[in-house]
Amino acid sequence: MAYDSVIDLKQLKVACENCRLGEICLPRGLAQEEMVKLDNIVSRGRPLVKGDALYRQGDKLDSFYAVHSGSLRSYTVTQDGTEQTLGFYFPGELVGLDGLENSIHSCTTEALETTSICELPYNNLQNLSAQLPSLQHQIMRLLGKELSGDHDVLLLLGKRSVEERLAAFILSLSKRFSERGFSSTEFNLSMSRHDISNFLGVAVETISRQFSNFDKDGVLQVKYRFVKILDMNKLEEIVIPCKKSSDIKEKQTGT
Amino acid sequence: MAYDSVIDLKQLKVACENCRLGEICLPRGLAQEEMVKLDNIVSRGRPLVKGDALYRQGDKLDSFYAVHSGSLRSYTVTQDGTEQTLGFYFPGELVGLDGLENSIHSCTTEALETTSICELPYNNLQNLSAQLPSLQHQIMRLLGKELSGDHDVLLLLGKRSVEERLAAFILSLSKRFSERGFSSTEFNLSMSRHDISNFLGVAVETISRQFSNFDKDGVLQVKYRFVKILDMNKLEEIVIPCKKSSDIKEKQTGT
DNA sequence: CGCCGCTTTGAAGGCCTTCAATTGATGTGG
DNA sequence: CCACATCAATTGAAGGCCTTCAAAGCGGCG
């Protein structure tokens, strides 16, 4: 799972240029010399183990974090103890952008499995990005990605059926695994049914039932955390109506 | 409604320092000389009238926009023609941050009433913010505000009742009007029931019914677009369970 | 002034939730 | 290495909240 050799020392210097995530992570599009400057402010601590919090709701915002390997879930807890899962994070994705408004994290982010993190101290990153326009652009791009991801979820939570929500969720995972060089059709879920149901705004039992329906309909095989997509087309058909009309790509055979 | 004299010329230079919105808008915390530099890149066009689009889904991202007066609604349209309202914008708020990922707007933003807009060309703003750390900080803060606003909506859409959703919505409006110097208890809604229901992920009829319930319970009076809050405490009690546990402020009398 | 669209209200139905119980996985100690 | 305890996931049944369909009331605008 780890992308390069295992690291569990205190705090280690990291070389972005040696990381195969470069192209989907922050350094994308940076020149060699710019990447060296970025490396100077990036460090990596001991990996988090399952359940460890990267930061907690109410913590001061000190750093952004890039996922190196593993995965995380971020969520907020409300006054009545209800959790709302806000998102899941995979290698190459930037975490900790919440709480930029008042420098206080508004959610907790926890490792779903053993997870390795690159830390980017916020102040250093700000200073550096003032010098490197392309870095500033990358930060804005990743902030935009976060925003647009939230909008996609709003779209789902607005008025979509459980079938559509779960199909969209599975396809999102599939796409992200694929972008990282893993299989787009077979993968293990690092999150529980509870996490999925909570994220998608439905009951756990409803998710379980929908998985069974997909299984029964031959769309996918699912056994606990293992998912195997059997009919990708059908899955994509299900989510078509939920897609933004501006996302029309190829596949337009008719008018 | 307009904050200073009426302006409907082609494209006019704007002086942020003369705008009473300064404190809630982008220039907050900027020194006099910095504000002058910001003024150089800000311009204001003819006001939008109700229904006019500031930009459309699929448009290239050229500028950020600050609301000067009036209000807007942003929404995406899906493949099956469904709309999802993503948010409402009031004076001092920054609009157009969507589509930062790929420089293409992922939603449409329309004026709900006659609305005056300050335009901030994206490239100029980027260049200027590289020179002015406090401006960069403001931009990040407003991006964070947008993100955190989306998270609040996710919280509502996740598992909250109609009563909680509508109460939270009304309180959000009340707070924003109050911050802008208007009454926190009496105001006119610039958006339709359809817009509200769509934003909150329920049917129009359900919103209408909930308004009637609030009216019947003496929480507020509502007549078409006019709302008068009668029992602010009750409204706040309703939303307490939906609030983030980290948002505990005063009002804690017990343990 | 009259039409059209927004809002309200009523009634029936559906999708999802909740409650309950079983089955299957995970992990620890004997 | 297996037994048992614990937790996660599945499945069934009943009920509820919200949706959908339908129609009437009310305002705004030409």
Side-chain angles (χ1 to χ4, degrees):
Chain A
M1 273 289 169
Y3 279 83
D4 45 34
S5 57
V6 176
I7 291 158
D8 50 4
L9 303 172
K10 294 294 162 294
Q11 200 80 331
L12 211 71
K13 284 299 158 202
V14 174
C16 288
E17 60 179 313
N18 295 332
C19 178
R20 27 185 353 179
L21 286 171
E23 276 311 298
I24 46 178
C25 192
L26 194 56
R28 189 177 93 170
L30 260 58
Q32 177 89 357
E33 64 206 45
E34 296 176 324
M35 219 181 282
V36 171
K37 289 185 181 176
L38 182 59
D39 284 345
N40 285 334
I41 67 167
V42 182
S43 63
R44 191 178 310 141
R46 176 189 299 116
L48 303 174
V49 301
K50 185 175 176 176
D52 281 354
L54 183 57
Y55 56 83
R56 298 190 171 282
Q57 198 168 337
D59 283 357
K60 193 165 176 319
L61 167 70
D62 295 318
S63 303
F64 288 167
Y65 306 92
V67 185
H68 181 67
S69 66
S71 55
L72 305 121
R73 172 179 79 104
S74 72
Y75 62 92
T76 49
V77 181
T78 56
Q79 217 83 333
D80 64 350
T82 315
E83 271 184 18
Q84 176 64 45
T85 297
L86 297 169
F88 300 99
Y89 296 93
F90 293 97
E93 293 175 341
L94 213 53
V95 186
L97 312 179
D98 64 292
L100 220 41
E101 184 183 3
N102 51 10
S103 292
I104 303 288
H105 283 295
S106 60
C107 62
T108 299
T109 299
E110 275 182 14
L112 290 168
E113 59 192 314
T114 303
T115 296
S116 170
I117 296 288
C118 301
E119 182 169 1
L120 304 141
Y122 182 65
N123 287 333
N124 296 347
L125 196 61
Q126 282 290 71
N127 293 338
L128 189 59
S129 75
Q131 300 164 36
L132 306 179
S134 52
L135 179 61
Q136 190 183 4
H137 182 253
Q138 280 308 307
I139 293 173
M140 292 301 257
R141 190 182 61 85
L142 290 171
L143 270 161
K145 192 175 173 188
E146 190 76 11
L147 218 43
S148 123
D150 286 347
H151 286 179
D152 289 344
V153 180
L154 286 180
L155 223 56
L156 283 183
L157 263 44
K159 296 202 79 45
R160 293 299 162 178
S161 68
V162 174
E163 186 186 35
E164 291 171 319
R165 293 180 197 204
L166 188 55
F169 178 70
I170 293 295
L171 279 177
S172 160
L173 291 184
S174 164
K175 190 179 157 215
R176 283 146 99 182
F177 285 131
S178 164
E179 285 166 355
R180 283 155 186 77
F182 297 107
S183 168
S184 65
T185 55
E186 295 184 28
F187 43 84
N188 278 289
L189 303 171
S190 55
M191 67 293 291
S192 68
R193 297 287 190 275
H194 174 83
D195 294 340
I196 300 173
S197 69
N198 188 270
F199 179 57
L200 296 178
V202 295
V204 193
E205 296 92 328
T206 308
I207 288 297
S208 192
R209 270 182 258 273
Q210 188 55 53
F211 264 132
S212 300
N213 289 340
F214 281 151
D215 198 321
K216 196 176 55 192
D217 297 346
V219 175
L220 51 76
Q221 278 178 1
V222 58
K223 202 180 178 191
Y224 293 86
R225 299 295 182 93
F226 179 74
V227 173
K228 180 174 183 176
I229 299 175
L230 299 175
D231 191 343
M232 189 67 90
N233 289 333
K234 204 159 182 178
L235 218 44
E236 275 165 355
E237 263 172 38
I238 293 170
V239 304
I240 283 178
C242 326
K243 294 196 117 170
K244 292 176 194 148
S245 64
S246 49
D247 286 347
I248 318 167
K249 305 171 187 173
E250 64 320 325
K251 299 211 174 186
Q252 300 286 77
T253 47
T255 44
Chain B
M1 274 291 170
Y3 281 82
D4 45 33
S5 57
V6 177
I7 293 159
D8 51 4
L9 302 173
K10 293 292 162 298
Q11 201 79 331
L12 212 69
K13 284 299 159 201
V14 174
C16 288
E17 60 178 313
N18 295 332
C19 178
R20 29 187 347 183
L21 286 171
E23 275 311 296
I24 46 178
C25 192
L26 195 58
R28 190 177 92 170
L30 260 58
Q32 178 88 357
E33 63 205 46
E34 296 176 323
M35 222 183 281
V36 172
K37 290 185 180 177
L38 182 59
D39 284 346
N40 284 335
I41 66 166
V42 183
S43 63
R44 193 179 309 144
R46 175 189 300 116
L48 302 175
V49 302
K50 187 175 176 175
D52 281 353
L54 183 57
Y55 55 85
R56 298 190 172 280
Q57 199 169 335
D59 282 358
K60 193 167 176 319
L61 168 70
D62 294 318
S63 302
F64 287 167
Y65 306 93
V67 184
H68 180 68
S69 67
S71 56
L72 304 120
R73 172 178 80 104
S74 72
Y75 63 92
T76 49
V77 181
T78 56
Q79 218 83 332
D80 65 350
T82 316
E83 271 184 17
Q84 176 64 46
T85 297
L86 298 169
F88 300 100
Y89 296 93
F90 293 96
E93 294 175 341
L94 212 53
V95 186
L97 311 180
D98 65 292
L100 220 40
E101 184 184 3
N102 51 10
S103 293
I104 302 288
H105 283 295
S106 59
C107 61
T108 298
T109 299
E110 275 182 13
L112 290 168
E113 59 192 314
T114 302
T115 296
S116 170
I117 297 288
C118 301
E119 182 170 1
L120 304 141
Y122 182 65
N123 287 333
N124 296 347
L125 196 60
Q126 283 289 71
N127 292 339
L128 189 59
S129 74
Q131 299 164 38
L132 306 179
S134 52
L135 178 61
Q136 190 183 4
H137 182 254
Q138 281 308 307
I139 293 174
M140 293 300 259
R141 190 180 63 84
L142 290 171
L143 269 162
K145 192 176 172 186
E146 190 74 10
L147 217 43
S148 122
D150 286 347
H151 286 180
D152 289 344
V153 180
L154 286 180
L155 222 57
L156 282 183
L157 296 191
K159 297 203 80 44
R160 294 299 162 178
S161 67
V162 174
E163 185 186 37
E164 292 171 318
R165 294 180 197 205
L166 188 54
F169 178 70
I170 293 296
L171 279 178
S172 159
L173 291 184
S174 164
K175 189 179 158 215
R176 283 147 99 182
F177 285 133
S178 164
E179 286 166 355
R180 283 155 185 78
F182 297 107
S183 167
S184 64
T185 55
E186 295 185 28
F187 43 84
N188 278 290
L189 302 170
S190 55
M191 68 292 294
S192 69
R193 296 288 190 273
H194 174 83
D195 295 339
I196 300 174
S197 69
N198 189 270
F199 178 57
L200 296 178
V202 293
V204 193
E205 296 91 328
T206 308
I207 289 297
S208 190
R209 270 182 259 272
Q210 188 56 53
F211 265 132
S212 300
N213 289 340
F214 281 150
D215 198 321
K216 194 175 57 193
D217 298 346
V219 175
L220 51 76
Q221 279 178 0
V222 57
K223 202 178 180 193
Y224 293 87
R225 300 294 182 93
F226 178 75
V227 173
K228 181 174 182 176
I229 299 175
L230 299 175
D231 190 342
M232 188 68 89
N233 288 334
K234 203 159 182 179
L235 219 43
E236 276 166 352
E237 263 171 37
I238 292 170
V239 303
I240 282 178
C242 325
K243 295 196 116 169
K244 291 175 195 149
S245 63
S246 49
D247 286 347
I248 318 168
K249 304 171 188 173
E250 66 316 328
K251 298 213 173 185
Q252 300 286 77
T253 47
T255 43

